[in-house]
Coordinates of all heavy atoms in Angstrom, one line a residue:
V230 N -17.2 3.1 -3.8 CA -16.8 2.9 -2.4 C -17.4 1.6 -1.9 O -18.5 1.3 -2.1 CB -17.4 4.0 -1.5 CG1 -16.8 4.0 -0.1 CG2 -17.2 5.4 -2.1
V231 N -16.5 0.8 -1.2 CA -17.0 -0.4 -0.6 C -17.0 -0.3 0.9 O -16.1 0.3 1.5 CB -16.1 -1.7 -1.0 CG1 -16.3 -2.1 -2.4 CG2 -14.6 -1.4 -0.8
F232 N -18.1 -0.7 1.5 CA -18.3 -0.6 2.9 C -17.9 -2.0 3.5 O -18.6 -3.0 3.2 CB -19.7 -0.2 3.2 CG -20.0 -0.1 4.7 CD1 -19.0 0.2 5.6 CD2 -21.3 -0.4 5.2 CE1 -19.3 0.3 7.0 CE2 -21.6 -0.3 6.5 CZ -20.6 0.1 7.4
T233 N -16.9 -2.0 4.4 CA -16.4 -3.3 4.8 C -16.2 -3.4 6.3 O -16.2 -2.4 7.0 CB -14.9 -3.5 4.2 OG1 -14.1 -2.5 4.8 CG2 -14.9 -3.4 2.7
S234 N -16.2 -4.7 6.8 CA -15.9 -4.9 8.2 C -14.4 -5.4 8.3 O -14.2 -6.6 7.9 CB -16.8 -6.0 8.7 OG -18.2 -5.6 8.7
L235 N -13.5 -4.6 8.7 CA -12.1 -4.9 8.7 C -11.6 -4.6 10.1 O -11.1 -3.5 10.4 CB -11.4 -4.1 7.7 CG -11.9 -4.2 6.2 CD1 -11.2 -3.2 5.3 CD2 -11.6 -5.7 5.7
P236 N -11.6 -5.6 11.0 CA -11.3 -5.3 12.4 C -9.9 -5.0 12.7 O -9.6 -4.3 13.7 CB -11.8 -6.6 13.2 CG -11.8 -7.7 12.1 CD -12.2 -7.0 10.8
T237 N -8.9 -5.5 11.9 CA -7.5 -5.2 12.1 C -6.9 -4.6 10.9 O -7.4 -4.7 9.8 CB -6.7 -6.5 12.5 OG1 -6.6 -7.3 11.3 CG2 -7.4 -7.3 13.6
L238 N -5.8 -3.9 11.1 CA -5.0 -3.3 10.0 C -4.6 -4.4 9.0 O -4.6 -4.2 7.8 CB -3.8 -2.5 10.5 CG -2.9 -1.9 9.5 CD1 -3.7 -0.9 8.7 CD2 -1.7 -1.2 10.2
E239 N -4.2 -5.5 9.5 CA -3.8 -6.6 8.6 C -4.9 -7.1 7.7 O -4.8 -7.3 6.5 CB -3.3 -7.8 9.5 CG -2.9 -9.0 8.6 CD -2.6 -10.2 9.5 OE1 -2.7 -10.2 10.7 OE2 -2.1 -11.3 8.9
D240 N -6.1 -7.2 8.3 CA -7.3 -7.5 7.5 C -7.6 -6.4 6.5 O -7.9 -6.8 5.3 CB -8.6 -7.6 8.4 CG -8.5 -8.7 9.4 OD1 -7.9 -9.8 9.1 OD2 -9.1 -8.6 10.5
A241 N -7.4 -5.2 6.8 CA -7.7 -4.1 5.9 C -6.7 -4.1 4.7 O -7.1 -3.9 3.6 CB -7.6 -2.7 6.6
V242 N -5.4 -4.4 5.0 CA -4.4 -4.4 4.0 C -4.7 -5.6 3.0 O -4.7 -5.4 1.8 CB -3.0 -4.5 4.6 CG1 -2.0 -4.9 3.5 CG2 -2.6 -3.3 5.3
T243 N -5.0 -6.7 3.6 CA -5.3 -7.9 2.7 C -6.5 -7.7 1.8 O -6.4 -7.9 0.6 CB -5.5 -9.1 3.6 OG1 -4.3 -9.4 4.4 CG2 -5.8 -10.4 2.7
Y244 N -7.6 -7.2 2.4 CA -8.8 -6.9 1.7 C -8.6 -5.9 0.6 O -9.0 -6.1 -0.6 CB -9.9 -6.5 2.6 CG -11.2 -6.1 1.9 CD1 -12.1 -7.0 1.5 CD2 -11.4 -4.7 1.6 CE1 -13.3 -6.6 0.8 CE2 -12.5 -4.4 0.9 CZ -13.5 -5.3 0.5 OH -14.6 -4.9 -0.2
T245 N -7.9 -4.8 0.9 CA -7.7 -3.7 0.0 C -6.9 -4.2 -1.2 O -7.2 -3.9 -2.4 CB -7.1 -2.5 0.7 OG1 -7.9 -2.1 1.7 CG2 -7.0 -1.3 -0.3
K246 N -5.8 -4.9 -1.0 CA -5.0 -5.4 -2.1 C -5.8 -6.3 -3.0 O -5.7 -6.2 -4.2 CB -3.8 -6.2 -1.5 CG -2.7 -5.3 -0.9 CD -1.5 -6.1 -0.4 CE -0.4 -5.3 0.1 NZ 0.7 -6.1 0.6
T247 N -6.6 -7.2 -2.3 CA -7.4 -8.1 -3.1 C -8.4 -7.5 -4.0 O -8.5 -7.7 -5.2 CB -8.1 -9.1 -2.2 OG1 -7.1 -9.8 -1.4 CG2 -8.9 -10.1 -3.0
I248 N -9.2 -6.6 -3.5 CA -10.3 -6.0 -4.3 C -9.8 -5.0 -5.3 O -10.3 -5.0 -6.4 CB -11.4 -5.3 -3.4 CG1 -12.7 -5.1 -4.2 CG2 -10.9 -4.0 -2.7 CD1 -13.9 -4.7 -3.4
R249 N -8.7 -4.3 -5.0 CA -8.2 -3.4 -6.0 C -7.4 -4.1 -7.1 O -7.4 -3.6 -8.3 CB -7.3 -2.3 -5.3 CG -8.1 -1.3 -4.5 CD -7.3 -0.2 -3.9 NE -8.2 0.8 -3.3 CZ -7.8 1.6 -2.3 NH1 -6.5 1.6 -1.9 NH2 -8.6 2.5 -1.8
A250 N -6.8 -5.2 -6.8 CA -6.2 -6.0 -7.8 C -7.2 -6.5 -8.8 O -7.0 -6.5 -10.0 CB -5.4 -7.2 -7.2
R251 N -8.4 -7.0 -8.3 CA -9.4 -7.4 -9.1 C -10.0 -6.3 -9.9 O -10.3 -6.4 -11.2 CB -10.5 -8.1 -8.3 CG -11.7 -8.6 -9.1 CD -11.2 -9.6 -10.2 NE -12.4 -10.1 -11.0 CZ -12.3 -10.4 -12.3 NH1 -11.1 -10.3 -12.9 NH2 -13.3 -10.8 -13.0
A252 N -10.2 -5.1 -9.3 CA -10.7 -4.0 -10.1 C -9.8 -3.6 -11.2 O -10.2 -3.2 -12.3 CB -10.9 -2.8 -9.1
T253 N -8.5 -3.7 -11.0 CA -7.5 -3.4 -12.0 C -7.6 -4.4 -13.2 O -7.6 -4.0 -14.4 CB -6.1 -3.4 -11.5 OG1 -6.0 -2.4 -10.5 CG2 -5.1 -3.1 -12.6
E254 N -7.8 -5.6 -12.9 CA -8.0 -6.7 -13.9 C -9.3 -6.4 -14.7 O -9.3 -6.7 -15.9 CB -8.2 -8.0 -13.2 CG -6.9 -8.6 -12.6 CD -7.2 -9.9 -11.8 OE1 -8.3 -10.3 -11.7 OE2 -6.2 -10.5 -11.4
L255 N -10.3 -5.8 -14.1 CA -11.5 -5.4 -14.8 C -11.4 -4.1 -15.6 O -12.4 -3.6 -16.1 CB -12.7 -5.3 -13.8 CG -13.1 -6.7 -13.2 CD1 -14.0 -6.5 -12.0 CD2 -13.7 -7.6 -14.2
G256 N -10.2 -3.5 -15.5 CA -10.0 -2.3 -16.3 C -10.3 -1.0 -15.6 O -10.3 0.1 -16.3
R257 N -10.4 -1.0 -14.3 CA -10.8 0.2 -13.6 C -9.5 1.0 -13.2 O -8.4 0.4 -13.2 CB -11.6 -0.1 -12.3 CG -12.9 -0.8 -12.7 CD -13.8 -0.9 -11.5 NE -14.3 0.4 -11.1 CZ -14.9 0.7 -10.0 NH1 -15.1 -0.3 -9.1 NH2 -15.3 1.9 -9.7
A258 N -9.7 2.2 -12.8 CA -8.5 3.1 -12.5 C -7.8 2.6 -11.2 O -8.5 2.0 -10.3 CB -9.0 4.5 -12.4
Q259 N -6.5 2.9 -11.1 CA -5.8 2.6 -9.9 C -6.4 3.3 -8.7 O -6.8 4.4 -8.8 CB -4.3 3.0 -10.1 CG -3.4 2.6 -8.9 CD -2.0 3.0 -9.2 OE1 -1.7 3.6 -10.2 NE2 -1.1 2.6 -8.3
G260 N -6.4 2.5 -7.6 CA -6.9 3.1 -6.3 C -8.4 3.0 -6.1 O -8.9 3.5 -5.1
L261 N -9.1 2.3 -7.0 CA -10.5 2.0 -6.9 C -10.8 0.5 -6.6 O -10.0 -0.3 -7.1 CB -11.3 2.5 -8.1 CG -11.2 3.9 -8.5 CD1 -12.0 4.2 -9.8 CD2 -11.9 4.7 -7.3
P262 N -11.8 0.3 -5.9 CA -12.8 1.2 -5.2 C -12.1 1.8 -4.0 O -11.2 1.2 -3.4 CB -14.0 0.3 -4.9 CG -13.4 -1.1 -4.7 CD -12.3 -1.2 -5.7
L263 N -12.7 2.9 -3.5 CA -12.4 3.4 -2.2 C -12.9 2.5 -1.1 O -13.8 1.8 -1.2 CB -12.9 4.8 -2.1 CG -12.5 5.8 -3.2 CD1 -13.0 7.2 -2.9 CD2 -11.0 5.8 -3.4

Side-chain angles (χ1 to χ4, degrees):
V230 188
V231 287
F232 179 30
T233 63
S234 299
L235 302 171
T237 70
L238 178 60
E239 179 185 4
D240 293 330
V242 170
T243 300
Y244 173 85
T245 302
K246 285 182 176 179
T247 299
I248 195 167
R249 286 183 176 161
R251 180 57 182 147
T253 299
E254 291 174 353
L255 293 169
R257 301 191 66 194
Q259 185 178 3
L261 294 177
L263 305 184

